[in-house]
Amino acid sequence: MARAGSELIRRMAAGDRDAFAGFYDAYAPLAFGVLRRMLPPDEAAETLQDVFWELWRSAADYDAARGTPEAWVVVRARSRGIDRVRSVRRRDEMLAGTPSDLSAAPARNPGGLLEAREILRGALDALPASQRQVIELAYFAGLTQTEIARRLDEPLGTVKTRMRLGMERLRGLIGARA
């Protein structure tokens, strides 16, 4: 299978979409199995798309002397899975203090909800437009980072970076104003 996989990768590097479809059919179950051990099913499926998009884009970089197509797929899947686990962990840690702080305010003070909204709106307005846009699409429109990347026609990594930087800045701004 390694020889057939190497040939598909060579054809993918030349832009052959049929080769990519065959490669995906042959190797997606392997990659999904790796991702599924690390992530919930919906996140594993989303990460699988990211993995194969990356494999498609980097097919010309594949070196058969460094490993089999199976190893290439597994290494990429594992790496993206670890990235996703870390990203989710960071997001959860960044959001851990903020929502409870804001939601506790109305219970102590009837005007607290309005005040919390004003603090959040002011903090959002202080963000660079690109960071504010991805955060608003995620939290107010309910889009995933992959959907945001498609909508904005931006690389997924760019969207993820803007989201992370924006959330870090929001935490700092909200903490300073609260």
Side-chain angles (χ1 to χ4, degrees), residues 11-48:
R11 289 175 44 208
M12 285 168 40
D16 185 337
R17 292 174 187 246
D18 291 333
F20 177 73
F23 186 79
Y24 183 89
D25 290 344
Y27 294 98
L30 175 65
F32 189 71
V34 170
L35 294 168
R36 187 58 190 98
R37 288 184 196 97
M38 303 168 76
L39 300 164
D42 57 330
E43 290 189 31
E46 188 172 328
T47 305
L48 181 69

